[in-house]
Amino acid sequence: MPAHVLIAGGGIAGLACALALARRRHRVDLLEQAVAFGEVGAGIQLGPNVTRRLQQLEVWEPLVRIAARPDALVVRSATDSREIARMPLGNAMLHNYAAPYFCVHRADLHGVLLAAARGTGAVTLNTAARVTGVVAREHAVCVSSTERRAWEGDALIGADGLWSTVRPFVLEDSPPRPTGHTAWRALVDQSALPAALRSTQVTVWLGPRLHAVAYPVRRGDALNVVVLAESAPAGDARDWDQSSSLAALQAATGRTSGALQALLEAVPDWRAWTLNDRPPLASPSQMAGERIALVGDAAHPMLPYLAQGAGMAIEDAVALAEALDGGDAAAVPAALMRFAEARWQRNAQVQARARRNGGIFHATGLVRFGRDAALRLLGARLLDVPWLYEG
């Protein structure tokens, strides 16, 4: 019989799980702590490993309508803007991995998943439902929330992000670790930019203790810009939508190349958030126990230096639905453990590589010189990640 699954968190991870489960005829109650479903934030890069999963979730047509398809990844110096390396995307990704490379705005992808979940008829959307208590029993799991509401199901999935309230019911550990890195993000209409600043590419500028990324979203009509620097955090660590300014960004990064500086100065509004993470997963028990499992940032938060945070959450969602397929309520604990065993090592690898990339991107001195020399020599061979995109 299909399972009744409770999901805490109505972001991309939670909606992807709800949709994947509904596609396999499971019944879902999605619990979102906000009073309405919505999403803010930056753009998302979707490598072929992710777009392949989204095809499985049957959201291909609406996804294509919101996505930009960059033609190349270009790496430049943040100090003089000279090109260091280039990797073709576009048709090259289709040829190499049988799936495209897309860039989307987080809110647009959230809207696609939300509409698809609603359309299944198997997902009940509950708002203003912040999880306050969890009781796992032998044959069911019970969840209580604010306003004296409660639900009972066969499984509970914690998809409620870095500061998950479900995570403590799976394992005991310390709070997320401050990294000392801060990110600034902005979204600007390409039509409002001078022609020289518009782009159809993913451009990465590497500098000492900082890097910047810009890529098109919303069918190419907008440009997403993110700057990450080793800078003292400001504001509430849990708030990833803090108001900021160009002056604050420049104080953290110093002067960059003229071309990059022109782009930063053309942005009318900056938002900021401080980066926190956790150590890479060390065992499947950190993702599941009895009738409770964790997905996305609730299980394996990662730095954005491999552009795979949302991607790993979407991979989790498809794997979770596959693990639960064909079993009854009594088989749920074993299914959740199969899911964790199938996912933890890949997620740990991506977490570790994202941390490693942070050191490479922000390198100084001789390490920076060696990095640039290797990129100039090997180019796309270093930028491509077959182990990730084929997975």
Side-chain angles (χ1 to χ4, degrees), residues 359-379:
I360 295 171
F361 290 179
H362 294 189
T364 60
L366 291 177
V367 176
R368 180 186 177 208
F369 177 83
R371 175 203 66 199
D372 290 356
L375 282 170
R376 289 190 180 99
L377 179 64
L378 298 175

mmCIF file of all heavy atoms in Angstrom, residues 359-379:
data_model
loop_
_atom_site.group_PDB
_atom_site.id
_atom_site.type_symbol
_atom_site.label_atom_id
_atom_site.label_comp_id
_atom_site.label_asym_id
_atom_site.label_seq_id
_atom_site.Cartn_x
_atom_site.Cartn_y
_atom_site.Cartn_z
ATOM 1 N N GLY A 359 38.797 26.776 -0.943
ATOM 2 C CA GLY A 359 40.221 27.074 -0.792
ATOM 3 C C GLY A 359 40.893 27.351 -2.118
ATOM 4 O O GLY A 359 41.765 28.226 -2.223
ATOM 5 N N ILE A 360 40.493 26.601 -3.156
ATOM 6 C CA ILE A 360 41.087 26.803 -4.481
ATOM 7 C C ILE A 360 40.647 28.137 -5.076
ATOM 8 O O ILE A 360 41.460 28.906 -5.595
ATOM 9 C CB ILE A 360 40.704 25.637 -5.411
ATOM 10 C CG1 ILE A 360 41.331 24.330 -4.904
ATOM 11 C CG2 ILE A 360 41.121 25.925 -6.844
ATOM 12 C CD1 ILE A 360 40.845 23.097 -5.622
ATOM 13 N N PHE A 361 39.356 28.427 -4.997
ATOM 14 C CA PHE A 361 38.842 29.676 -5.576
ATOM 15 C C PHE A 361 39.468 30.907 -4.927
ATOM 16 O O PHE A 361 39.707 31.904 -5.590
ATOM 17 C CB PHE A 361 37.326 29.749 -5.410
ATOM 18 C CG PHE A 361 36.537 28.782 -6.247
ATOM 19 C CD1 PHE A 361 35.158 28.754 -6.159
ATOM 20 C CD2 PHE A 361 37.158 27.904 -7.114
ATOM 21 C CE1 PHE A 361 34.406 27.869 -6.920
ATOM 22 C CE2 PHE A 361 36.424 27.012 -7.881
ATOM 23 C CZ PHE A 361 35.049 26.998 -7.784
ATOM 24 N N HIS A 362 39.689 30.838 -3.614
ATOM 25 C CA HIS A 362 40.142 32.013 -2.859
ATOM 26 C C HIS A 362 41.650 31.999 -2.595
ATOM 27 O O HIS A 362 42.127 32.720 -1.727
ATOM 28 C CB HIS A 362 39.387 32.089 -1.530
ATOM 29 C CG HIS A 362 37.923 32.347 -1.677
ATOM 30 N ND1 HIS A 362 37.102 32.629 -0.597
ATOM 31 C CD2 HIS A 362 37.105 32.397 -2.758
ATOM 32 C CE1 HIS A 362 35.869 32.813 -1.021
ATOM 33 N NE2 HIS A 362 35.849 32.668 -2.336
ATOM 34 N N ALA A 363 42.379 31.192 -3.332
ATOM 35 C CA ALA A 363 43.809 31.012 -3.072
ATOM 36 C C ALA A 363 44.587 32.317 -3.228
ATOM 37 O O ALA A 363 44.211 33.213 -3.988
ATOM 38 C CB ALA A 363 44.371 29.955 -4.016
ATOM 39 N N THR A 364 45.693 32.390 -2.504
ATOM 40 C CA THR A 364 46.597 33.535 -2.581
ATOM 41 C C THR A 364 48.008 33.039 -2.891
ATOM 42 O O THR A 364 48.294 31.841 -2.841
ATOM 43 C CB THR A 364 46.616 34.320 -1.256
ATOM 44 O OG1 THR A 364 47.073 33.444 -0.205
ATOM 45 C CG2 THR A 364 45.228 34.828 -0.894
ATOM 46 N N GLY A 365 48.891 33.966 -3.219
ATOM 47 C CA GLY A 365 50.313 33.657 -3.372
ATOM 48 C C GLY A 365 50.610 32.605 -4.428
ATOM 49 O O GLY A 365 50.009 32.573 -5.504
ATOM 50 N N LEU A 366 51.538 31.713 -4.111
ATOM 51 C CA LEU A 366 51.988 30.709 -5.072
ATOM 52 C C LEU A 366 50.889 29.712 -5.428
ATOM 53 O O LEU A 366 50.853 29.200 -6.548
ATOM 54 C CB LEU A 366 53.213 29.964 -4.508
ATOM 55 C CG LEU A 366 54.506 30.783 -4.403
ATOM 56 C CD1 LEU A 366 55.609 29.948 -3.757
ATOM 57 C CD2 LEU A 366 54.948 31.259 -5.790
ATOM 58 N N VAL A 367 50.012 29.427 -4.483
ATOM 59 C CA VAL A 367 48.917 28.508 -4.773
ATOM 60 C C VAL A 367 48.008 29.100 -5.853
ATOM 61 O O VAL A 367 47.582 28.407 -6.796
ATOM 62 C CB VAL A 367 48.116 28.188 -3.498
ATOM 63 C CG1 VAL A 367 46.914 27.314 -3.832
ATOM 64 C CG2 VAL A 367 49.005 27.493 -2.473
ATOM 65 N N ARG A 368 47.740 30.383 -5.739
ATOM 66 C CA ARG A 368 46.918 31.053 -6.754
ATOM 67 C C ARG A 368 47.610 31.023 -8.113
ATOM 68 O O ARG A 368 46.987 30.744 -9.146
ATOM 69 C CB ARG A 368 46.651 32.492 -6.319
ATOM 70 C CG ARG A 368 45.808 33.287 -7.304
ATOM 71 C CD ARG A 368 45.706 34.741 -6.869
ATOM 72 N NE ARG A 368 44.961 35.527 -7.834
ATOM 73 C CZ ARG A 368 45.139 36.831 -8.027
ATOM 74 N NH1 ARG A 368 46.041 37.491 -7.306
ATOM 75 N NH2 ARG A 368 44.428 37.479 -8.929
ATOM 76 N N PHE A 369 48.912 31.264 -8.123
ATOM 77 C CA PHE A 369 49.672 31.234 -9.373
ATOM 78 C C PHE A 369 49.616 29.852 -10.011
ATOM 79 O O PHE A 369 49.392 29.704 -11.220
ATOM 80 C CB PHE A 369 51.127 31.627 -9.093
ATOM 81 C CG PHE A 369 52.016 31.570 -10.304
ATOM 82 C CD1 PHE A 369 52.058 32.623 -11.204
ATOM 83 C CD2 PHE A 369 52.800 30.448 -10.545
ATOM 84 C CE1 PHE A 369 52.874 32.554 -12.329
ATOM 85 C CE2 PHE A 369 53.617 30.375 -11.655
ATOM 86 C CZ PHE A 369 53.654 31.435 -12.553
ATOM 87 N N GLY A 370 49.793 28.815 -9.198
ATOM 88 C CA GLY A 370 49.740 27.450 -9.713
ATOM 89 C C GLY A 370 48.362 27.081 -10.217
ATOM 90 O O GLY A 370 48.217 26.388 -11.232
ATOM 91 N N ARG A 371 47.324 27.512 -9.500
ATOM 92 C CA ARG A 371 45.952 27.251 -9.935
ATOM 93 C C ARG A 371 45.703 27.838 -11.313
ATOM 94 O O ARG A 371 45.179 27.161 -12.218
ATOM 95 C CB ARG A 371 44.970 27.852 -8.933
ATOM 96 C CG ARG A 371 43.507 27.746 -9.329
ATOM 97 C CD ARG A 371 42.677 28.811 -8.621
ATOM 98 N NE ARG A 371 43.012 30.166 -9.044
ATOM 99 C CZ ARG A 371 42.722 31.264 -8.352
ATOM 100 N NH1 ARG A 371 42.110 31.168 -7.172
ATOM 101 N NH2 ARG A 371 43.051 32.456 -8.818
ATOM 102 N N ASP A 372 46.073 29.109 -11.501
ATOM 103 C CA ASP A 372 45.819 29.769 -12.779
ATOM 104 C C ASP A 372 46.615 29.122 -13.904
ATOM 105 O O ASP A 372 46.111 28.973 -15.030
ATOM 106 C CB ASP A 372 46.160 31.255 -12.669
ATOM 107 C CG ASP A 372 45.187 32.016 -11.782
ATOM 108 O OD1 ASP A 372 44.202 31.393 -11.317
ATOM 109 O OD2 ASP A 372 45.411 33.216 -11.543
ATOM 110 N N ALA A 373 47.849 28.722 -13.607
ATOM 111 C CA ALA A 373 48.665 28.070 -14.632
ATOM 112 C C ALA A 373 48.038 26.751 -15.056
ATOM 113 O O ALA A 373 47.989 26.417 -16.253
ATOM 114 C CB ALA A 373 50.085 27.846 -14.103
ATOM 115 N N ALA A 374 47.537 25.983 -14.100
ATOM 116 C CA ALA A 374 46.905 24.704 -14.415
ATOM 117 C C ALA A 374 45.632 24.917 -15.230
ATOM 118 O O ALA A 374 45.354 24.180 -16.187
ATOM 119 C CB ALA A 374 46.599 23.942 -13.129
ATOM 120 N N LEU A 375 44.839 25.929 -14.884
ATOM 121 C CA LEU A 375 43.611 26.211 -15.619
ATOM 122 C C LEU A 375 43.918 26.661 -17.044
ATOM 123 O O LEU A 375 43.221 26.273 -17.995
ATOM 124 C CB LEU A 375 42.793 27.279 -14.892
ATOM 125 C CG LEU A 375 42.001 26.815 -13.670
ATOM 126 C CD1 LEU A 375 41.450 28.012 -12.904
ATOM 127 C CD2 LEU A 375 40.858 25.879 -14.083
ATOM 128 N N ARG A 376 44.947 27.463 -17.219
ATOM 129 C CA ARG A 376 45.299 27.894 -18.572
ATOM 130 C C ARG A 376 45.755 26.719 -19.426
ATOM 131 O O ARG A 376 45.478 26.662 -20.629
ATOM 132 C CB ARG A 376 46.396 28.950 -18.508
ATOM 133 C CG ARG A 376 45.928 30.303 -17.968
ATOM 134 C CD ARG A 376 46.976 31.379 -18.143
ATOM 135 N NE ARG A 376 46.505 32.661 -17.621
ATOM 136 C CZ ARG A 376 46.820 33.137 -16.427
ATOM 137 N NH1 ARG A 376 47.616 32.440 -15.624
ATOM 138 N NH2 ARG A 376 46.335 34.299 -16.029
ATOM 139 N N LEU A 377 46.439 25.774 -18.813
ATOM 140 C CA LEU A 377 46.970 24.634 -19.550
ATOM 141 C C LEU A 377 45.905 23.596 -19.861
ATOM 142 O O LEU A 377 45.822 23.081 -20.990
ATOM 143 C CB LEU A 377 48.110 23.982 -18.753
ATOM 144 C CG LEU A 377 48.767 22.752 -19.376
ATOM 145 C CD1 LEU A 377 49.467 23.130 -20.677
ATOM 146 C CD2 LEU A 377 49.745 22.123 -18.391
ATOM 147 N N LEU A 378 45.062 23.287 -18.874
ATOM 148 C CA LEU A 378 44.132 22.172 -19.014
ATOM 149 C C LEU A 378 42.684 22.599 -19.250
ATOM 150 O O LEU A 378 41.869 21.785 -19.694
ATOM 151 C CB LEU A 378 44.216 21.281 -17.769
ATOM 152 C CG LEU A 378 45.583 20.643 -17.519
ATOM 153 C CD1 LEU A 378 45.589 19.894 -16.194
ATOM 154 C CD2 LEU A 378 45.954 19.706 -18.665
ATOM 155 N N GLY A 379 42.347 23.844 -18.913
ATOM 156 C CA GLY A 379 41.044 24.399 -19.235
ATOM 157 C C GLY A 379 39.869 23.523 -18.857
ATOM 158 O O GLY A 379 39.659 23.173 -17.691
#
